[in-house]
Amino acid sequence: MDIDTLAGVARELLLVAPADFVTERTARQRAMRKDDRETAAAIGKLRKPAPAAWVVDLLAHEQALDEAVDLGPSLREAQANADPQEISALRRQRTSVVRALAQAGADLASDAGHPATSAVLDQVRATIEAAMADPHAGAAVRSGLLVQPLESVGFEDVDLDGALAVPDAVPDAWSGSGAPPIDIEEGRRARKSSRASRPTEPDHPDEPDQPGPEEPRADPAAERRAARQAETTARTESREADAALDAAERDLETAEARRAELARDLDRATAEVERLGRSRDDAESASDRARDLLAAAQEHRRSLGR
């Protein structure tokens, strides 16, 4: 199987509106089948992109994501140097770039006849932020082969499992630069931590402190693991639902093709019946004319014998 050919076809298909994806994929698979059956089979297995991934692929096709992804190394360097002014300036730039790209994606989706909802645009923004935070995610987003939106969770690597249509075509999405990801939510968590660490005044200052049951402490790492597990489960269920929908759409296409074939057979049979009916009418007319001629000949012979 030719990975480059498959990736090229996938990039073209991922620019098609999701509603038209299956029909176009079937056409490309059939066109490829006569030349390369293995690649054709792989084309038939390409997954339909989620709406947010489709919008990001539109942006990647326009090469609009380069500036956003290129901000990642600068942010990582600023964080490594603990330069608060530079970090603040780069974060403001990041916010501006993400907002502008989300609007550009919304415009592209509208131009394609499929406007993006606010929820989809939220996922687009999260995906662009993930591309800035993690160099692997940046390579995935710029590839134009995204089928699932991405999300950055703290300093953990962005989960790219099942995110690309042709993973082997984007080695940088898995090897990457090895640079640690940026914590997109670091400031928000720092503010929450600061509020949580402030001492609280006792309800009754005149009463001596009484020992009470120790409250169980939340485990942020466990909570993040649980959230990632829930997200992975949701993505798996989404992929399974997409696969089931694709299978149903293929079955529908097969049934429609069979119905069209039967309709053509019926048209041919109807035409044949009509032809046979005309032949029968012609034969009956010829028979009637023959009987008339015979009757005339017999009458003529009788008249001669008189």
Side-chain angles (χ1 to χ4, degrees):
M1 179 176 62
D2 189 337
I3 292 295
D4 291 338
T5 299
L6 177 61
V9 172
R11 286 188 178 94
E12 293 174 1
L13 285 174
L14 292 174
L15 297 178
V16 176
D20 303 323
F21 178 85
V22 173
T23 300
E24 185 63 23
R25 180 186 61 189
T26 301
R28 297 300 297 268
Q29 180 184 17
R30 289 173 179 169
M32 180 64 68
R33 189 175 292 148
K34 59 183 179 182
D35 297 325
D36 187 342
R37 296 188 68 85
E38 186 178 6
T39 302
I43 290 173
K45 295 177 182 178
L46 291 173
R47 292 173 49 218
K48 180 170 62 177
W54 172 64
V55 174
V56 173
D57 287 333
L58 292 177
L59 289 168
H61 179 68
E62 299 292 329
Q63 297 182 333
L65 298 170
D66 294 349
E67 180 184 357
V69 175
D70 290 343
L71 273 177
S74 299
L75 278 165
R76 281 187 287 274
E77 182 179 358
Q79 287 192 342
N81 295 334
D83 185 337
Q85 290 185 345
E86 186 177 2
I87 290 174
S88 178
L90 286 171
R91 284 181 173 171
R92 285 196 299 271
Q93 184 180 358
R94 179 185 66 195
T95 300
S96 176
V97 168
V98 170
R99 184 185 301 115
L101 285 173
Q103 183 57 55
D107 293 342
L108 288 172
S110 294
D111 291 344
H114 294 269
T117 65
S118 59
V120 166
L121 292 178
D122 285 343
Q123 291 182 327
V124 170
R125 283 187 283 270
T127 299
I128 297 171
E129 289 183 347
M132 293 177 172
D134 185 334
H136 305 160
V141 164
R142 293 172 82 165
S143 72
L145 292 170
L146 204 67
V147 294
Q148 288 291 339
L150 306 179
E151 184 178 5
S152 178
V153 181
F155 282 104
E156 298 180 13
D157 291 336
V158 174
D159 185 5
L160 296 177
D161 183 30
L164 291 170
V166 188
D168 291 342
V170 196
D172 287 346
W174 308 104
S175 58
S177 66
I182 300 169
D183 187 358
I184 295 293
E185 300 297 330
E186 180 183 16
R188 184 183 303 170
R189 285 208 306 274
R191 289 192 295 272
K192 289 182 178 178
S193 175
S194 175
R195 287 196 298 268
S197 63
R198 293 174 186 169
T200 57
E201 295 294 332
D203 291 339
H204 303 285
D206 295 335
E207 296 180 5
D209 292 339
Q210 298 292 330
E214 185 176 349
E215 299 250 345
R217 295 182 179 179
D219 185 350
E223 291 177 352
R224 287 197 299 271
R225 286 194 298 271
R228 292 295 292 275
Q229 181 61 43
E231 180 184 0
T232 299
T233 301
R235 287 182 177 177
T236 300
E237 292 175 351
S238 176
R239 287 196 294 269
E240 291 174 350
D242 284 344
L245 178 59
D246 288 347
E249 289 175 336
R250 287 194 295 270
D251 290 343
L252 177 60
E253 288 182 352
T254 301
E256 289 178 344
R258 179 57 178 161
R259 183 183 64 182
E261 182 181 355
L262 291 173
R264 289 193 294 271
D265 290 344
L266 178 60
D267 290 341
R268 287 194 292 268
T270 301
E272 180 64 14
V273 168
E274 291 177 352
R275 187 188 67 79
L276 291 173
R278 288 193 296 271
S279 297
R280 181 196 60 192
D281 293 343
D282 292 342
E284 289 179 350
S285 297
S287 176
D288 290 341
R289 288 194 298 273
R291 282 196 297 270
D292 291 342
L293 289 172
L294 177 60
Q298 289 174 341
E299 180 63 27
H300 180 65
R301 187 175 59 185
R302 283 195 297 269
S303 65
L304 291 176
R306 290 176 182 167

